[in-house]
């Protein structure tokens, strides 16, 4: 389909700063203009809640997968459907749909917490399109987990086929996996720049370049990023004397871009778990053999970690230490969204581990509608100075 936006108009001939600014505007636009264009041209849209969703299946059926990652919107409509004690992203994702800022043909959530598990039921009472739960394996260490997940992906695929009226052939699914493999290479390159030369790409710009994949047709995304990334490598920007940190706590609700910008004034974020669902699978998914089975095995064997997956082979505190060491970080920012039980619980485990290893860390909470960051900036600058001059 023909998706138009100033961002796609000769991005390799515009000043790079202008391209990055246009990208940020598009990511922060709660009207989702490119998704609207997709629907206006007859395309179907599936919205999926955090954390991970096998977008390749929807893509192979000709559907546009959109990650429902919340937004900085007033939750006036959503407030009447949820209690005040819930995290913000549950409400704002629902608000986007209730106010028709984004219109879907299918909605899928996951049982990552009590609120997310009940989201499909609340959604289905307010919309007439299919709303369901995708049950990823609770015990990925089981010998039957790959077979179970293959069957679950098959069920999902059949439901998507009913909506699109288009059969997902083996060839189409393998082609979609190849397209998404290209995206995984792009994500890896973005994070390679963050680790090796973080002064070339501000934290908020790096976030934006990943976040575009949450709602753009993936072919458009790949073409755009392949035009942008070489230019980032060529930037003539001097390295500053900033502390290298890992940001942990963005696996579900996302921090405001201005929060990342505030951190960037005194630190280089050299690795993080922001939008980890888009980057969940490391490396390429195999394209030979059964593609559904390959996706299932990749989820189990080639995946990252988060507080909502329980894999005994990947203790989360050990995985954080690995992220910290491989990124060459000097400290960790332990963040959590307000009212997020999984995130706040993991802060305790992470803190104890970092204490035991004598690794400095900064603990903070955030909310996607947060608008003031002066206090956080002062606290963080004090934290950095205490470490540098200790």
């Amino acid at each position: 389909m023909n998706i138009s936006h100033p961002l796609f108009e000769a991005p390799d001939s515009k000043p790079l700063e202008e391209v990055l600014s246009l990208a940020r505007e598009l990511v922060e636009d709660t009207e989702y203009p490119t998704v609207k264009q997709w629907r206006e041209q007859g395309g179907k849209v599936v919205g999926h809640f955090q954390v991970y969703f096998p977008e390749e299946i929807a893509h192979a059926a000709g559907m546009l997968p959109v990650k429902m990652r919340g937004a900085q919107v007033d939750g006036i409509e959503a407030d009447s459907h949820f209690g005040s004690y819930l995290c913000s992203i549950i409400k704002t994702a629902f608000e986007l749909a209730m106010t028709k800022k984004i219109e879907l043909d299918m909605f899928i959530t996951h049982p990552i917490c009590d609120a997310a598990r009940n989201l499909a039921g609340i959604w289905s009472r307010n919309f007439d399109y299919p709303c369901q739960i995708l049950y990823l394996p609770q015990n990925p260490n089981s010998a039957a987990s790959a077979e179970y997940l293959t069957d679950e992906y098959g069920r999902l695929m059949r439901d998507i086929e009913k909506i699109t009226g288009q059969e997902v052939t083996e060839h189409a699914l393998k082609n979609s996996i190849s397209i998404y493999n290209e995206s995984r290479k792009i994500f890896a390159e973005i994070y390679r720049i963050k680790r090796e030369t973080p002064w070339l790409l501000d934290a908020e710009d790096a976030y934006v370049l990943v976040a575009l994949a949450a709602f753009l047709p993936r072919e458009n995304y790949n073409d755009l990023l392949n035009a942008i990334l070489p230019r980032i490598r060529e930037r003539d920007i001097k390295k500053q004397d900033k502390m290298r940190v890992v940001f942990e706590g963005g696996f579900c609700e996302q921090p405001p871009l201005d929060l990342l910008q505030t951190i960037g004034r005194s630190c280089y974020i050299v690795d993080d778990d922001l939008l980890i669902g888009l980057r969940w699978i490391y490396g390429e998914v195999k394209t030979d053999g059964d593609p559904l089975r390959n996706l299932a095995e990749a989820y189990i064997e080639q995946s990252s970690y988060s507080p909502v997956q329980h894999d005994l082979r990947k203790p989360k505190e050990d995985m954080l230490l690995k992220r910290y060491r491989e990124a060459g970080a000097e400290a960790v920012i332990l963040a959590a969204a307000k009212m997020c039980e999984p995130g706040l619980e993991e802060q305790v485990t992470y803190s104890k581990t970092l204490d035991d290893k004598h690794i400095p860390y900064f603990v903070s909470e955030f909310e996607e509608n947060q608008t003031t960051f002066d206090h956080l900036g002062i606290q963080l600058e004090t934290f950095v100075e205490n470490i540098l001059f200790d």
Side-chain angles (χ1 to χ4, degrees):
M1 295 193 187
N2 183 25
I3 302 298
S4 62
H5 187 273
L7 178 60
F8 302 124
E9 297 171 4
D12 50 353
S13 63
K14 291 187 178 78
L16 183 57
E17 288 70 22
E18 181 183 349
V19 174
L20 294 174
S21 177
L22 287 169
R24 175 166 180 164
E25 288 177 11
L26 185 56
V27 166
E28 293 189 307
D29 191 339
T30 58
E31 298 295 332
Y32 285 90
T34 57
V35 178
K36 281 185 170 61
Q37 289 180 43
W38 179 274
R39 284 182 58 83
E40 288 167 358
Q41 296 175 49
K44 302 289 187 180
V45 179
V46 54
H48 58 92
F49 194 67
Q50 306 278 33
V51 172
Y52 172 75
F53 176 75
E55 291 191 344
E56 292 91 336
I57 298 173
H59 181 275
M63 216 170 190
L64 176 66
V66 175
K67 177 175 279 295
M68 302 297 288
R69 54 189 173 84
Q72 289 189 306
V73 295
D74 295 327
I76 297 173
E77 292 287 338
D79 280 344
S80 62
H81 297 269
F82 299 97
S84 60
Y85 51 85
L86 297 178
C87 62
S88 177
I89 189 175
I90 290 283
K91 301 175 186 178
T92 58
F94 189 68
E95 181 78 11
L96 290 172
M98 288 293 290
T99 55
K100 298 188 181 300
K101 291 182 181 296
I102 186 166
E103 296 187 72
L104 306 176
D105 299 281
M106 184 182 194
F107 174 72
I108 296 173
T109 187
H110 314 275
I112 60 173
C113 65
D114 289 340
R117 180 168 51 246
N118 293 316
L119 196 54
I122 295 172
W123 215 285
S124 64
R125 289 197 293 270
N126 291 275
F127 299 98
D128 58 5
Y129 49 75
C131 307
Q132 61 174 254
I133 298 174
L134 175 64
Y135 289 96
L136 300 170
Q138 291 295 309
N139 180 15
N141 305 127
S142 167
S145 60
E147 181 179 356
Y148 159 79
L149 188 54
T150 302
D151 291 342
E152 180 70 351
Y153 283 174
R155 177 194 64 78
L156 171 69
M157 184 175 72
R158 291 188 292 274
D159 290 342
I160 288 176
E161 288 174 333
K162 293 176 184 176
I163 296 171
T164 63
Q166 179 175 323
E167 180 187 1
V168 177
T169 65
E170 182 174 303
H171 173 75
L173 187 50
K174 288 181 176 180
N175 179 63
S176 294
I177 289 174
S178 296
I179 291 170
Y180 276 74
N181 280 342
E182 177 65 22
S183 295
R184 283 183 266 272
K185 292 178 183 177
I186 289 169
F187 297 150
E189 177 62 14
I190 292 171
Y191 275 77
R192 190 175 297 114
I193 293 172
K194 283 167 64 81
R195 288 191 303 272
E196 296 176 357
T197 53
W199 53 91
L200 295 181
L201 187 63
D202 292 337
E204 66 271 22
D205 289 333
Y207 178 90
V208 162
L209 293 182
V210 174
L212 288 168
F215 57 88
L216 288 180
R218 196 50 69 99
E219 294 88 342
N220 296 70
Y221 174 80
N222 289 350
D223 290 344
L224 176 66
L225 269 291
N226 282 328
I228 293 175
L229 288 179
R231 299 181 64 192
I232 292 174
R233 283 288 193 187
E234 296 169 357
R235 296 175 97 177
D236 184 18
I237 298 177
K238 291 183 179 180
K239 178 182 178 181
Q240 297 181 2
D241 188 18
K242 295 182 180 180
M243 178 172 288
R244 297 170 60 92
V245 301
V246 163
F247 182 97
E248 191 80 13
F251 66 95
C252 185
E253 184 170 326
Q254 300 299 293
L257 287 177
D258 287 342
L259 185 148
L260 299 179
Q261 191 173 36
T262 299
I263 295 173
R265 293 193 186 110
S266 54
C267 303
Y268 288 129
I269 300 178
V270 291
D271 206 346
D272 56 63
D273 64 345
L274 299 167
L275 293 172
I276 195 63
L278 291 174
R279 306 182 289 115
W280 185 255
I281 294 175
Y282 294 139
E284 295 189 355
V285 178
K286 293 186 298 184
T287 54
D288 57 328
D290 181 354
L292 281 181
R293 178 77 181 202
N294 291 341
L295 284 170
E297 290 181 347
Y299 173 82
I300 295 167
E301 303 294 343
Q302 297 172 227
S303 56
S304 184
Y305 68 98
S306 85
V308 295
Q309 190 204 45
H310 309 288
D311 190 333
L312 296 177
R313 299 168 302 175
K314 299 184 293 186
K316 287 177 277 292
E317 58 272 26
D318 291 346
M319 298 301 289
L320 173 58
L321 289 175
K322 180 181 179 183
R323 173 174 281 160
Y324 167 84
R325 289 164 179 156
E326 290 184 351
E330 300 167 272
V332 177
I333 296 178
L334 293 180
K338 291 181 179 179
M339 303 294 181
C340 175
E341 289 187 12
L344 291 168
E345 286 175 358
E346 288 303 326
Q347 274 193 342
V348 177
T349 304
Y350 289 151
S351 298
K352 184 179 185 304
T353 299
L354 295 174
D355 280 334
D356 291 342
K357 298 296 183 181
H358 305 290
I359 296 173
Y361 61 93
F362 179 88
V363 178
S364 181
E365 282 187 337
F366 67 85
E367 190 173 25
E368 60 187 358
N369 278 327
Q370 187 176 345
T371 56
T372 58
F373 307 96
D374 291 343
H375 188 57
L376 171 66
I378 293 171
Q379 287 182 320
L380 193 55
E381 287 174 8
T382 303
F383 168 75
V384 171
E385 289 173 359
N386 285 340
I387 294 173
L388 291 177
F389 300 109
D390 186 9

